[in-house]
Amino acid sequence: MNLQQASSTNQPISDELRRWVTEQLAAGHTTSALRNSMREAGWMQDAIDAALGAEAPAPAQAPAQAPVVPRSAMPGPALDGAPLYLDAGDRQVQVLLTMGHPRVVVFGDLLSQEECEGLIAAARERLARSLTVETKTGGEAVNVDRTSDGMFFTRGESPLVQRIEARIARLLNWPVEFGEGLQVLRYAPGAQYRPHYDYFDPAEPGTATILRRGGQRLATLVIYLQEPAQGGATTFPDVGLEVAPRRGTGVFFSYDRPDPATRTLHGGAPVLAGEKWVATKWLREREFV
């Protein structure tokens, strides 16, 4: 329709005009923009109001965001038959605790004393103030909620790291390539990590950038390398669970969707005496690059 030809003292609201309005709204143009276009084409205000007011079709509503559906394929140990021990390839690992919601499993003897000391020794000279992933920007930043020092090993960086990563992959039935590099953290007296979620919030603007490296985080494994003298438990406030940081023990938890309904809010309680060292492995939905 040629709007310029519509200009006259008698301006009926024709079916052709209604179709034009419908097409423009469907194309994403606002009512305000259409008013300006009609005014510039010579339409009178009463005709504009009639075409774009109560009689005009409403713009299409944006589709509601699809609900986040739980995943069917998830990392985790095979616990059919309630085993007391699991075969992790080069080591038998104890099953100390299981919980269904949130999905939590505590493993005993996951690492030997020598392996714990080896990770600490390799990490000690590379420690720096821990950063957190910033879902608002897609980068990393210092966060007052996290007061540890830490570092990351690259995946497969050393024979020790390779051996531990292979053990984790077998225990949790998830490919080595789908894991982030092993992170080692030191918590001095007073240090803590306030309750938080490990998944990346889909509503935050920086999440799309983060997900390019391997998709969502699906699970976390925290392994205690050194016990503090007091404090330092891993806490799950939604269910009142506290896991004591005993050397060689690991606490695994998974989250099948990025939603608080997973009840995976967790934190590192303040260390009250001594130092706590942990190694953390985050598992992604596809290969982490």
Side-chain angles (χ1 to χ4, degrees), residues 129-132 134 141-148 187 190-197 266-270:
R129 172 67 187 272
S130 297
L131 304 177
T132 57
E134 288 290 299
V142 171
N143 189 321
V144 295
D145 290 339
R146 190 181 199 186
T147 52
S148 60
Y187 290 83
Q192 64 177 316
Y193 196 174
R194 292 189 176 91
H196 60 283
Y197 299 100
H266 65 284

Side-chain angles (χ1 to χ4, degrees), residues 13 18 21-22 25 31 34-35 48-59:
I13 309 305
R18 293 184 189 280
V21 169
T22 300
L25 291 173
T31 301
L34 297 190
R35 287 184 182 276
I48 294 172
D49 291 342
L52 298 178
E55 297 183 27

Side-chain angles (χ1 to χ4, degrees), residues 26-183:
H29 299 292
T30 65
T31 301
S32 177
L34 297 190
R35 287 184 182 276
N36 291 336
S37 295
M38 292 184 69
R39 192 175 296 112
E40 291 171 0
W43 288 87
M44 303 301 291
Q45 190 61 49
D46 57 346
I48 294 172
D49 291 342
L52 298 178
E55 297 183 27
Q61 296 294 315
Q65 186 174 359
V68 180
V69 179
R71 300 176 185 276
S72 55
M74 289 287 294
L79 296 177
D80 293 343
L84 298 181
Y85 295 88
L86 294 171
D87 180 9
D90 63 345
R91 191 175 185 85
Q92 292 290 305
V93 175
Q94 294 177 311
V95 179
L96 300 180
L97 176 147
T98 64
M99 179 176 285
H101 188 53
R103 185 57 173 149
V104 178
V105 183
V106 178
F107 301 112
D109 291 331
L110 179 54
L111 266 60
S112 69
Q113 179 172 315
E114 293 74 23
E115 288 170 332
C116 291
E117 291 175 351
L119 286 179
I120 291 173
R124 189 180 295 276
E125 299 304 318
R126 294 161 59 180
L127 295 177
R129 172 67 187 272
S130 297
L131 304 177
T132 57
V133 176
E134 288 290 299
T135 52
K136 293 187 182 301
T137 64
E140 295 181 317
V142 171
N143 189 321
V144 295
D145 290 339
R146 190 181 199 186
T147 52
S148 60
D149 295 321
M151 55 77 66
F152 275 95
F153 292 106
T154 58
R155 202 168 53 226
E157 177 176 324
S158 69
L160 174 59
V161 170
Q162 289 177 13
R163 183 168 73 247
I164 293 172
E165 288 177 334
R167 187 181 304 160
I168 292 170
R170 178 154 178 166
L171 179 65
L172 300 179
N173 299 292
W174 208 246
V176 170
E177 295 77 15
F178 287 23
E180 297 181 28
L182 198 64
Q183 185 188 44

